């Protein structure tokens, strides 16, 4: 990322207090486009990551946006493995992932649990990427529908997001980096 000035490298390239996954579900941390553009410009930032759902008024014409999608089962596996690793290494706690995921999810669906944010472990098994892109953490378990998928697609299209598939990076990565102007 030569010549890039990231928001806060020690915070995984997220605008600290606004764009990390820790801010999922916290609408008070979100700022409109004009404030985002002012902050990035005043500090000379040329790159930042957003790891939470976004409201439409947060998206700016002054920025290029992209999303790296994943094959759903690979994403589920990765997210659960990350939660296990993070909690054991930093929180010093063991998270309980049930052996029978199907029954576990059926229970969440039967109780119409609503995640509110991305911190509930079960939400990683229930159309996670669609929930993030459609800003649909208010939808009960098992009720993400084609309407939400259409909303996620429209969000990406209306805001001219670059969309790539992580599993395609070995063959498509060079094109992506060329399009971004990265060496």
């Amino acid at each position: 990322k030569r010549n890039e000035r990231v928001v806060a490298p020690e915070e995984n390239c997220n605008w600290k207090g606004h764009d990390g996954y820790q801010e999922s579900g916290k609408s008070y941390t979100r700022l409109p486009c004009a404030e985002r553009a002012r902050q990035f410009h005043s500090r000379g930032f040329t790159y930042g990551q957003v790891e939470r759902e976004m409201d439409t008024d947060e998206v700016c014409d002054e920025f290029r946006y992209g999303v790296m999608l994943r094959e759903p089962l690979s994403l589920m596996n990765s997210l659960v493995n990350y939660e296990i690793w993070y909690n054991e290494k930093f929180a010093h706690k063991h998270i309980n992932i049930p052996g029978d995921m199907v029954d576990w999810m059926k229970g969440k669906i039967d109780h119409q649990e609503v995640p509110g944010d991305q911190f509930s472990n079960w939400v990683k098994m229930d159309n996670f990427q669609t929930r993030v892109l459609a800003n649909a953490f208010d939808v009960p378990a098992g009720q993400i529908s084609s309407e939400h998928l259409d909303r996620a697609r429209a969000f990406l299209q209306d805001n001219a997001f670059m969309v790539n598939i992580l599993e395609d990076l070995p063959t498509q990565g060079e094109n992506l980096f060329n399009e971004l102007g990265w060496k």
Side-chain angles (χ1 to χ4, degrees), residues 83 104 108 113-125 128 137:
E83 287 298 320
W104 185 51
K108 305 298 180 190
E113 288 197 32
V114 176
D117 56 39
Q118 60 181 284
F119 301 117
S120 299
N121 285 325
W122 68 264
V123 80
K124 294 161 181 67
M125 310 296 163
F128 183 75
F137 285 105

Side-chain angles (χ1 to χ4, degrees), residues 61-123:
D61 290 338
E62 293 89 349
F63 297 101
R64 295 185 68 193
Y65 291 91
V67 63
M68 190 67 67
L69 300 176
R70 293 216 52 192
E71 187 279 322
L73 291 175
S74 294
L75 177 63
M76 287 181 223
N77 189 49
S78 177
L79 290 170
V80 169
N81 284 335
Y82 173 78
E83 287 298 320
I84 292 168
W85 170 81
Y86 181 87
N87 278 284
E88 288 179 359
K89 183 167 178 90
F90 298 107
H92 306 291
K93 67 179 183 180
H94 175 75
I95 62 169
N96 185 20
I97 303 294
D100 190 334
M101 293 278 195
V102 173
D103 280 347
W104 185 51
M105 284 305 300
K106 281 182 183 176
K108 305 298 180 190
I109 292 167
D110 290 347
H111 290 99
Q112 296 187 359
E113 288 197 32
V114 176
D117 56 39
Q118 60 181 284
F119 301 117
S120 299
N121 285 325
W122 68 264
V123 80

